[in-house]
Amino acid sequence: MTHIDKQAFGTFVAMLRKEKGITQKELAERLFLSDKAVSKWETAASVPSIDLLIPLADLLGVTVTELLMCRRMEQDNALSAAQVEQVVKTAVSYSDKQPRAYQKNRKWGLIYILSLLIACLELWLSYRAGSITVGLSVSMGLGATFGLYFCFFVKEKLPAFYDETEVCVYTDGIFEMNLPGLSLHNGNWGKILQAGRIWSVTMMLAYPIISYIETLLFPGILRDIIDLFFALLFVLGGFFLPVYILGNRYKKRKS
């Protein structure tokens, strides 16, 4: 049996949580989840995604192996070869590996590369025209960096756990996106990625033009103020506003 026994897992988590003297809500808050998520684990309605196993084990004071086996183990009790094999098989079957963007959506990778080349040309022309500003440097840097992630390395699909509970935080290595009030799930994830890609490409292509127009229309310190305004508008409003609009438009359907 290589799959987790949901009933045994839920009972084990509930026992450990009570031993620690913490409520479902407190455990959920420490994992940046809703208390409904912990309730579903303990009632065997679902199990957490693989990325939560390590923090959950740490909070409950057990090892990941004990969590997967749904029981405590003696410190001097070495696992047999068969037990090790079972743990490994359980972890492999439990993992929810999703393809990266470059593996499934090569179109946006090509768009990004073409946009980056055009943006480099625009940046060179801006330098020649004397219209290089702080806002231009920051905006193009962010567009290029986040565009690289959204077009090549982001996961095209969220783990199943996101569809089973309310989660507003997405983490993937060093990348973290916290969207308070917005529930992330596979129904809106594709739209959010699309918004991120369009935003990144637009930042790289459009901001050099905006910076050049600012240089022509506004002198000295006024240009710097206008430049800061447009940089904030593009960086914050240009990304978060579409993400929240699209994310809420494609809300999770209640079962």
Side-chain angles (χ1 to χ4, degrees):
M1 188 71 179
T2 60
H3 293 283
I4 285 184
D5 183 334
K6 291 184 180 180
Q7 189 65 54
F9 183 86
T11 301
F12 188 54
V13 168
M15 179 191 74
L16 295 173
R17 176 181 60 77
K18 291 174 183 177
E19 286 180 0
K20 290 288 184 180
I22 57 179
T23 65
Q24 290 182 345
K25 184 176 181 181
E26 289 171 336
L27 179 59
E29 287 176 347
R30 295 180 191 181
L31 294 170
F32 303 101
L33 304 171
S34 70
D35 53 339
K36 293 180 182 179
V38 178
S39 176
K40 286 183 177 181
W41 301 342
E42 295 185 0
T43 56
S46 68
V47 290
S49 60
I50 192 170
D51 55 303
L52 290 173
L53 289 181
I54 294 176
L56 178 60
D58 289 342
L59 287 172
L60 295 178
V62 293
T63 64
V64 175
T65 299
E66 289 173 318
L67 203 56
L68 288 172
M69 296 186 71
C70 306
R71 63 182 176 86
R72 277 200 176 95
M73 299 174 59
E74 297 295 333
Q75 293 296 322
D76 57 350
N77 182 22
L79 290 175
S80 67
Q83 288 174 316
V84 171
E85 180 71 7
Q86 180 178 336
V87 171
V88 172
K89 285 183 177 180
T90 300
V92 170
S93 65
Y94 186 77
S95 65
D96 194 5
K97 293 183 178 179
Q98 300 299 339
R100 299 284 179 175
Y102 71 89
Q103 295 172 308
K104 290 199 69 177
N105 199 339
R106 295 182 180 180
K107 177 188 72 174
W108 273 104
L110 294 174
I111 292 174
Y112 173 83
I113 293 173
L114 180 60
S115 299
L116 183 61
L117 292 174
I118 296 173
C120 288
L121 176 60
E122 290 182 331
L123 193 60
W124 179 75
L125 293 174
S126 296
Y127 172 76
R128 293 291 300 271
S131 59
I132 296 290
T133 62
V134 174
L136 173 61
S137 303
V138 171
S139 298
M140 291 194 69
L142 289 174
T145 302
F146 283 95
L148 183 65
Y149 177 74
F150 281 124
C151 294
F152 285 95
F153 300 110
V154 71
K155 293 181 179 179
E156 291 283 333
K157 186 179 179 183
L158 294 171
F161 176 74
Y162 280 80
D163 296 325
E164 298 170 359
T165 186
E166 301 291 326
V167 184
C168 63
V169 178
Y170 174 75
T171 57
D172 181 20
I174 62 173
F175 180 83
E176 180 172 326
M177 185 164 57
N178 192 345
L179 300 168
L182 178 61
S183 175
L184 300 175
H185 54 91
N186 282 299
N188 62 12
W189 184 240
K191 305 297 181 182
I192 290 172
L193 294 187
Q194 194 83 336
R197 289 162 178 161
I198 293 173
W199 168 78
S200 301
V201 169
T202 302
M203 287 276 285
M204 290 191 294
L205 295 178
Y207 209 89
I209 300 173
I210 292 173
S211 181
Y212 179 69
I213 295 174
E214 290 171 354
T215 302
L216 293 177
L217 297 180
F218 305 105
I221 188 66
L222 182 58
R223 187 195 70 167
D224 295 335
I225 296 174
I226 298 295
D227 179 60
L228 178 61
F229 170 78
F230 275 107
L232 292 174
L233 182 66
F234 268 73
V235 172
L236 299 178
F239 176 72
F240 287 104
L241 186 59
V243 163
Y244 270 93
I245 291 175
L246 290 170
N248 284 305
R249 179 179 296 176
Y250 295 88
K251 286 184 178 179
K252 186 184 302 181
R253 293 181 179 178
K254 295 182 180 180
S255 56

